[in-house]
Amino acid sequence: MTTPIELEDGQHQLGPVLIGKGTPISIAEFEGLGMASQRTGDVEPPGADGLWLGADYYSGRTLHLDAAVKVAGNPSAVLDQLAALQEAVDDPAVRGQGGTTMDFRLKFPGRPVRVVRGRLRKAEPLMAQYLHGWAPLDLEFQAADHAFYDDAFDVTTIPLGMLTTGGLTFPLQFPFVINGDPAAVGRPGYLQVDGTAPTWPVLRVTGPCANPSITHVGSGRTLSVQTTLAAGEWVEIDCRPGWRTVLRENGGGVPLTPQSRIDLFQLTPGINEIRWTATDNTLTSSLAVAWWPAYKAL
């Protein structure tokens, strides 16, 4: 995995391209950092005053940047910067299929790096003065959802059948205290999820096992996969918006049971308990849970 570029305050990374402070692409205005737009179910009741307020759903966040390429006296460098942005958008791994995204890493003073995932939808320069090394640039980035994410993910591995690494040691020495904090006893099925918003995990079961079933205890949501995995084979359930795939190590798809709702399987801020079962006489299979802490605001 490539080591992320260390960003300075006021510097951002759009795909592989650095913009903002200390780069040839300066930013005059950054819009879309507040509340994301919503799809509402509001209804005006016929023959009555007021408004019936329905369910609200966030749309994907839209970021708009009023920017400019500034490379004094070097028109070729202006074109190079524009070409780099277009090259990032043209990546077949991003635009070649539905749901795939690129990262827009943001570094504002007073905050660690936050990430929004989506696609660059507009990169329109004004070329009237580019011969002098200056071209105003209108950028628009469409995120797949409304959240801001941590730059790095958290991950934990849960062996099959392991309930706890805690317990009591005999003979007991009085007085003794039973700690009510599940995180304190080191149970691998308990996850401490940072952030202020729910986040969607990526779940990978590695064999040998058959028909694994994963449950988020707090919500009762369960994802069950109908497949058999030999030793070293795996199946990955990606619950993230836009992705939402269930794939084997060979790239093939695997069905979930009809009751499994991949779009509703979320981790919430705080302690989450994950349990999983499978048929495995060796008890050597495992579940890896990865997630990016999510935030409602910068």
Side-chain angles (χ1 to χ4, degrees), residues 23 45-46 58 61 82 88 100 108 112 127 147 226-227 236 239 259:
T23 77
Y58 286 116
R61 181 179 299 279
L82 298 175
T100 53
F108 289 95
M127 304 297 288
Q226 298 175 317
T227 192
E236 184 173 272
C239 304
Q259 297 78 20

Side-chain angles (χ1 to χ4, degrees), residues 160-161 205-213 225 227-230 276-286:
L160 181 64
V205 175
T206 302
C209 67
N211 301 325
S213 183
V225 186
T227 192
T228 298
L229 303 171
W276 77 291
T277 60
T279 302
D280 174 16
N281 294 331
T282 70
L283 290 181
T284 58
S285 55
S286 63

Side-chain angles (χ1 to χ4, degrees), residues 104-116:
F104 193 179
R105 302 174 66 222
L106 310 172
K107 182 64 176 79
F108 289 95
R111 284 289 186 269
V113 174
R114 299 286 191 235
V115 178
V116 291

Side-chain angles (χ1 to χ4, degrees), residues 1-169:
M1 182 178 294
T2 304
T3 302
I5 297 173
E6 190 74 23
L7 299 179
E8 303 176 15
D9 284 347
Q11 191 177 78
H12 316 291
Q13 185 179 359
L14 184 53
V17 182
L18 289 179
I19 65 176
K21 181 181 177 181
T23 77
I25 301 178
S26 62
I27 301 172
E29 187 64 43
F30 209 133
E31 300 177 0
L33 299 174
M35 180 182 290
S37 60
Q38 299 181 19
R39 305 189 310 275
T40 70
D42 298 347
V43 177
E44 294 183 354
D49 296 328
L51 184 69
W52 186 82
L53 300 176
D56 297 338
Y57 298 95
Y58 286 116
S59 297
R61 181 179 299 279
T62 302
L63 301 179
H64 182 264
L65 287 74
D66 181 6
V69 183
K70 296 181 180 179
V71 191
N74 192 341
S76 178
V78 171
L79 298 178
D80 288 343
Q81 290 295 317
L82 298 175
L85 286 171
Q86 290 176 266
E87 185 68 25
V89 175
D90 197 49
D91 184 353
V94 176
R95 71 178 185 88
Q97 55 187 314
T100 53
T101 60
M102 62 191 297
D103 286 353
F104 193 179
R105 302 174 66 222
L106 310 172
K107 182 64 176 79
F108 289 95
R111 284 289 186 269
V113 174
R114 299 286 191 235
V115 178
V116 291
R117 302 191 185 104
R119 296 186 185 179
L120 185 64
R121 291 304 191 197
K122 187 176 183 181
E124 187 62 41
L126 297 177
M127 304 297 288
Q129 300 188 57
Y130 101 94
L131 291 176
H132 304 290
W134 183 64
L137 180 61
D138 190 11
L139 297 174
E140 186 175 279
F141 186 87
Q142 180 62 60
D145 66 311
H146 67 284
F148 299 94
Y149 293 92
D150 266 355
D151 198 24
F153 63 87
D154 293 320
V155 63
T156 190
T157 300
I158 307 172
L160 181 64
M162 179 176 286
L163 294 179
T164 180
T165 56
L168 300 177
T169 301

